[in-house]
Amino acid sequence: MSYELIGITVLWIFLYGYLIVASIDFGAGFFSYYSHATGKRHLIQNMIDRYLNPVWEVTNVFLVFFFVGIIGFFPDTAYYYGTALLVPGSIAIILLAIRGSYYAFGTYGEKQNRIYTFLYGASGLLIPASLSTVLTISEGGFVIEKEGKVVFLFRELFTSPYSWAVVLLALVSVLYISAMFLTYYAAKAQDHGALNVVRSYALGWSPPTILCSLLVFFAIRNHNPQHYQAMLDLSWMFVVSFLCFLAAFYLVWKRTGYGWAFIFVMLQFAFAFFGYGASHLPYILYPYITLYQNFTSEAMALSLIIAFIAGLCLLIPSLALIMRLFLFNTSYVQGHAPKKKG
Amino acid sequence: MSYDPVLYSRMLTELTLGFHIIFATIGVGVPVMVALAEWTGIKRNDPYYLLLARRWTRGFVITVAVGVVTGTAIGLQLSLLWPSFMRIAGQAIALPLFLETFAFFFEAIFLGIYLYTWDRFKKKWTHFLLLIPVVLGSSASAFFITTVNAFMNTPQGFKLQDGVITDLQPIAAMFNPATPTKVAHVLVSAYMTCAFILAAIAAASLLKNRVQLYHRKALKLTMTAALVFSVTTILVGDLSGKFLAKYQPEKLAAAEWHFETAGKAPLVIGGILTADNEIKYGLKIPFALSILAHANPNAEVQGLNETPIDERPPLLVHYIFDLMVTIGILLPLLSLLYFWMARKYQNRHYPRWIVRLIVWSGPLAVLGIESGWVYAEVGRQPWILRGYMKTAEGATTSTHVDLMLVLFCLLYLVIGLTVIKVLGKIFRGNDLQEELLAKGIEGGKAK
């Protein structure tokens, strides 16, 4: 495998990781607020808190990792995306900042503060929309280079059916992934009240997810026919993705194998996401940045890959530890372990 | 003011960094202090120190959250506001940037575990051990990110021809001449600042006549750490001065308004500069600049006149440098004074004036950190990559930077005010007296 391919694969895996953990996180925040507003807070709040408390900071790192990594491997992305994304990027930063800090204020500071819960829940729903702009503009047509300057075409972005389809998909899949995970977590905690609530969310958000995926598929055909063709060549991946969706839906419907259902959800998104990514290549920003012409120097690529492997040796055991202590520790999940904090 | 993306980009970067640095410093220093408290507590089997560690951590989480979000903000803003610079930086110093996220990852994982396992392990030491990766992670991320800043001051390990980088050596770029002094200064000054901040909290509580014994113990621990770290900060600061004289003489010369290259150079404190670069009303300390620059009172120090006019830093940095140095000298003196007083008033109330001074030491230390960074950053103007790229060439050409500046001002204002409110509530809400009683530490009577 060439350095270029290793680089983009690493980054894509991290973006996928972010997609999953951030969706759970964003969705949980929204459901937390929603349950607050609809008077079901007492049913699901404890469960959500037990999951989110120890991991919220880790979620953020996936994102930082991705954007630092892509600048390292493909420095030209900083130039094009950086110039183009000033406004959507800044909005995403502001939303992330509001969300992260008000989560902490609400959790460790003043519990049950209505405004904090609202800021935290609402911002989480807007972040996926603003972050998905990056994927949208990577398809080309929204950034042009004129007289040596990068110009971002706002109007095109706002009036493009493709960009709205992506925003819609981002929103819906966040709620879907999150509800699916919370269903699994509630089942593990043997918290039947919470399970009923989140299971209905999971089933409810399933059909819209598939509808929106189809919408994006067709929107790409009009927007970037070349990419659409490449996606058709990899169509088996999208078919497998759909089958995984059906399996997940079936399991939750039948009220069995919630763990497997969530694994199928992860596979569903893995196939779709990697299928989308692979068919996007060799372009990183169509048509300005490609995998091969804009890659970093060999010395830097090598040192980044070494650093990455060394980093993983440190991270994987640590992640395993946190999972053993919290996510997969039955007594913690069920709330029997001493629930103490600082 | 007409729209100038370079000016607004600079202002927005200053704003974000200025805000972030407060929380970043706390993020680096407080874990060390918590570790000291918990270690002392376990070692001496003294529940007061354990409670101290616990209560500090409770507030620390809030500041970590803000540190994380503002850190993410500056990370993204670098590319959004300085795309041309990051194109170069991405090739030359991606390695430390990348490693920094690993360190941060490591810290995030173990901080999460540490927070939720206070009473989960049978042995107290197990919980303490979890703090080691937190300390390592936070200090390592400060280390890596500071090497990036050091690289901007003394770039090396690459060749730049017509905007194309060749002959790249990632390790050499990371361990550039500025790295040792910068990293050391950043780390010890962060430890020092946190020691003073926590001392200030203890002092403020003593003033209100709250549980005396607990806060006196807190004060003793924090002031001991503060003394050690502040003396180290001065020593490293001296080395930084010698580094500047060798590698960035124009930065040092601008700080001291030293125009003519000359030996036996005096250090100037305060004063004003006339139109023809004469210094008035300043306090001159003979030979001090030569000693600072070369450890020799007669040594020649390069003056600002050697630097072309369009490559000189703004002369205003003089005041900022003075501010940093003054604070850096006053604070260790204050901690010495405290120890003298603590001996004198062993079992009595400390005099209120010394406790009041300690309350001020926390904000002063933060001001010192801010002024130190402003000096370091403004002092290398007009360069973004000294010798390679001017700041104006690195900035974005985007419109709307001014609007973003307004938005971020509002954001930091709101977050900043909420932090103050929440932290205040945390410490007032969990009454110390009750907590001491609940833990069976004392009968609850204040001495």
Side-chain angles (χ1 to χ4, degrees), chain A residues 31-330:
Chain A
F31 290 135
S32 164
Y33 170 67
Y34 182 76
S35 67
H36 195 84
T38 53
K40 288 181 184 164
R41 182 188 168 90
H42 58 286
L43 284 178
I44 66 170
Q45 193 58 39
N46 271 338
M47 179 201 57
I48 290 181
D49 277 351
R50 263 204 298 281
Y51 165 72
L52 282 184
N53 282 346
V55 297
W56 65 273
E57 213 191 345
V58 178
T59 306
N60 218 38
V61 189
F62 277 90
L63 176 67
V64 179
F65 201 99
F66 174 76
F67 71 69
V68 169
I70 197 165
I71 291 163
F73 281 109
F74 306 98
D76 284 358
T77 52
Y79 180 67
Y80 286 96
Y81 280 112
T83 312
L85 286 172
L86 178 72
V87 175
S90 298
I91 292 173
I93 298 174
I94 291 175
L95 291 169
L96 280 169
I98 291 178
R99 185 166 194 282
S101 37
Y102 281 88
Y103 172 72
F105 300 157
T107 311
Y108 304 104
E110 301 173 42
K111 295 217 166 81
Q112 311 266 336
N113 186 317
R114 218 168 235 279
I115 300 167
Y116 295 177
T117 322
F118 169 73
L119 283 173
Y120 160 64
S123 55
L125 216 49
L126 297 172
I127 294 168
S130 65
L131 286 181
S132 62
T133 322
V134 184
L135 288 184
T136 310
I137 72 166
S138 77
E139 291 296 332
F142 304 112
V143 178
I144 51 167
E145 202 165 21
K146 220 165 50 181
E147 294 156 15
K149 269 185 171 181
V150 175
V151 182
F152 182 45
L153 308 169
F154 269 105
R155 187 178 303 177
E156 267 73 0
L157 187 76
F158 271 103
T159 54
S160 151
Y162 173 66
S163 75
W164 288 108
V166 172
V167 166
L168 210 58
L169 177 62
L171 265 178
V172 173
S173 37
V174 159
L175 296 173
Y176 168 71
I177 294 174
S178 184
M180 280 291 194
F181 177 81
L182 292 174
T183 306
Y184 156 65
Y185 202 72
K188 208 172 146 69
Q190 293 175 349
D191 186 341
H192 299 290
L195 179 64
N196 281 333
V197 176
V198 285
R199 179 177 166 270
S200 69
Y201 295 159
L203 293 177
W205 286 108
S206 300
T209 308
I210 288 303
L211 282 177
C212 293
S213 313
L214 288 174
L215 203 61
V216 170
F217 222 71
F218 287 115
I220 266 197
R221 185 163 79 167
N222 293 328
H223 188 81
N224 186 341
Q226 194 190 343
H227 187 187
Y228 180 71
Q229 191 53 48
M231 279 168 85
L232 284 187
D233 295 340
L234 284 173
S235 54
W236 67 271
M237 295 187 82
F238 300 98
V239 172
V240 175
S241 166
F242 184 65
L243 293 176
C244 292
F245 163 77
L246 290 181
F249 187 81
Y250 176 79
L251 287 171
V252 174
W253 182 259
K254 282 282 171 192
R255 295 174 186 273
T256 59
Y258 292 114
W260 280 105
F262 188 67
I263 290 178
F264 276 119
V265 170
M266 291 211 288
L267 286 175
Q268 173 198 344
F269 278 86
F271 277 106
F273 194 67
F274 282 88
Y276 168 83
S279 58
H280 200 289
L281 294 179
Y283 291 105
I284 291 178
L285 171 60
Y286 182 85
Y288 295 104
I289 306 179
T290 73
L291 198 57
Y292 299 100
Q293 285 161 15
N294 307 78
F295 195 57
T296 188
S297 70
E298 199 161 300
M300 185 50 87
L302 187 66
S303 62
L304 285 180
I305 290 169
I306 293 173
F308 179 72
I309 293 168
L312 279 190
C313 293
L314 206 64
L315 284 188
I316 291 173
S318 321
L319 279 173
L321 182 65
I322 199 171
M323 286 191 176
R324 257 194 47 182
L325 282 173
F326 299 107
L327 301 190
F328 299 109
N329 182 309
T330 313

Side-chain angles (χ1 to χ4, degrees), chain B residues 95-149:
Chain B
L95 182 64
L97 280 172
F98 200 61
L99 286 171
E100 199 246 344
T101 58
F102 270 115
F104 172 39
F105 216 143
F106 196 54
E107 181 199 343
I109 290 173
F110 281 94
L111 184 63
I113 301 178
Y114 180 80
L115 287 177
Y116 289 93
T117 51
W118 272 98
D119 297 318
R120 215 166 134 177
F121 301 111
K122 286 204 181 71
K123 281 188 190 154
K124 282 179 179 164
W125 284 113
T126 317
H127 187 249
F128 173 79
L129 288 179
L130 288 169
L131 204 54
I132 294 175
V134 178
V135 170
L136 286 180
S138 58
S139 292
S141 63
F143 167 80
F144 289 122
I145 208 65
T146 310
T147 65
V148 174
N149 182 270

